[in-house]
Amino acid sequence: MKKLSDILIIISFIVLIFSGMIVTIVKPKEDKSFYENRMLDAMPTYSRQSVEDGTYFTELEGYLADHAAYRYTLLKFRTYFNEYILRRPVVNNVIVREDILLIYLDYCFFDRDELMAQTDAYVNQLAQLQQLVEGYGGNYYYVGVPCQYAIFEDKYPSYLENRAEYTDELIADFNKASDKYGVNFIDVGQCQELMEGRDIYSSKVDNHYSLQGAYVSYKYIIDSINSSSGSNLTYPTGDEITFVELKNNYLGSSSRKLFGITRITETLFTAEFAENIPFTREDGGVKSYSQVYYPPENPYKDVMYDLYMCGDRAETIIKTNRPQLPDVLIYGDSFTNALECLAYYSFDEMRSIDLRHYNKMSLADYIEDYKPDYVICIRDYEALIKTEGNGSPFGESVQP
């Protein structure tokens, strides 16, 4: 009996191994991992040189690891085991707290003089862009928005990095440089309403703000513009705007990294204006649906942050046919999306571009062609002085 049981165990093991190999070979190959939000390794190209130098087998190992049978099942099991059984404080680069999921931050070692020089060079470039805008009579504003880790610095365990020291130094240097070069800098981190209502205005499962947080930020930006320039831009207040909660579970960037295996849940909101504002929309020069919210087709499907504006778009143009109002160009990354759902209320035409995807011309050339009344850049603290993508308005990186 013992020999029979041993044979059955061996056979079962062999069947498991070979079935896994067969499934790995024949199953459809994916290009991207949804939960990990990254591209999967592609099958390496065979060549004699790659075999001789070993790169072929290294790349093949990565490819097989990314496309192995039962991979997602095993990753989900590992996530559950680490989060609920071992109760690790950090799982899949997510810090799991009782009431919030925080992104894990590498320890930030920085040279204060180098950071100041880098910030100075970056703001100097913004001053050139602002000069271009003001040259035709427009108004330029650079907006810094605190991301989740900046709003919830105190939620990080004492033994992990929360980047508070770096953030404080960065904002101080940015303010000094803005004063030096005369750049219109709006720091939404100074918005008392946002910081005091952080549990409502910032996501607990994502690094973005909620739609209510975008609204509070939007109000603060408009008020700051009106105060500094004497403008009379308006926004909806009180009964003029209503927030509507979706029933769908929100799969934010942090909960996504945990494969949705988390006890911390959240929902998203849309907003309705009391005043009906008909508009047309174009994406990349192609006419699109006249909508800014893209909810799932049923209430049981997870909702992503692309609920707002249908996610990142290279270029979007919304026209409201109210010529008495000014035009605006908003540029930045995903932090603009939720705010764009609200901002068209204040303008005749709202354009938005994301320079990570828009490559027809530089931002400076786009502005010279379009000449909007207002140009507003929105960047979170983490990307405040990053020089690639939306940090490169003249099409090149900034060097201190």
Side-chain angles (χ1 to χ4, degrees), residues 118-187:
Q118 183 181 358
T119 305
D120 187 271
Y122 185 79
V123 177
N124 183 26
Q125 179 179 251
L126 295 180
Q128 298 173 46
L129 185 64
Q130 181 170 307
Q131 185 177 9
L132 184 154
V133 176
E134 292 177 345
Y136 64 79
N139 300 273
Y140 178 80
Y141 293 90
Y142 193 85
V143 179
V145 178
C147 46
Q148 187 207 48
Y149 75 69
I151 291 179
F152 290 105
E153 291 173 347
D154 59 309
K155 292 283 189 178
Y156 279 79
S158 59
Y159 53 85
L160 291 177
E161 171 69 31
N162 66 2
R163 208 162 286 180
E165 184 179 0
Y166 173 82
T167 299
D168 291 344
E169 186 69 23
L170 173 63
I171 298 302
D173 289 349
F174 206 100
N175 277 301
K176 289 177 184 177
S178 297
D179 291 340
K180 175 182 175 181
Y181 294 109
V183 171
N184 296 322
F185 175 51
I186 300 175
D187 179 12

Side-chain angles (χ1 to χ4, degrees), residues 255-320:
S255 52
R256 186 173 174 178
K257 290 179 181 178
L258 296 175
F259 295 88
I261 304 171
T262 174
R263 63 176 67 88
I264 301 171
T265 60
E266 189 173 316
T267 54
L268 292 183
F269 287 75
T270 61
E272 297 176 353
F273 300 140
E275 177 187 357
N276 181 35
I277 304 177
F279 64 86
T280 61
R281 173 175 174 169
E282 293 180 8
D283 290 305
V286 178
K287 187 174 181 180
S288 182
Y289 295 106
S290 297
Q291 63 187 80
V292 293
Y293 302 107
Y294 289 77
E297 58 273 13
N298 66 69
Y300 307 105
K301 186 176 181 180
D302 289 339
V303 63
M304 309 286 290
Y305 204 72
D306 59 9
L307 165 73
Y308 304 119
M309 298 301 293
C310 201
D312 300 332
R313 288 288 179 268
E315 179 193 40
T316 296
I317 301 174
I318 288 182
K319 297 179 180 180
T320 67

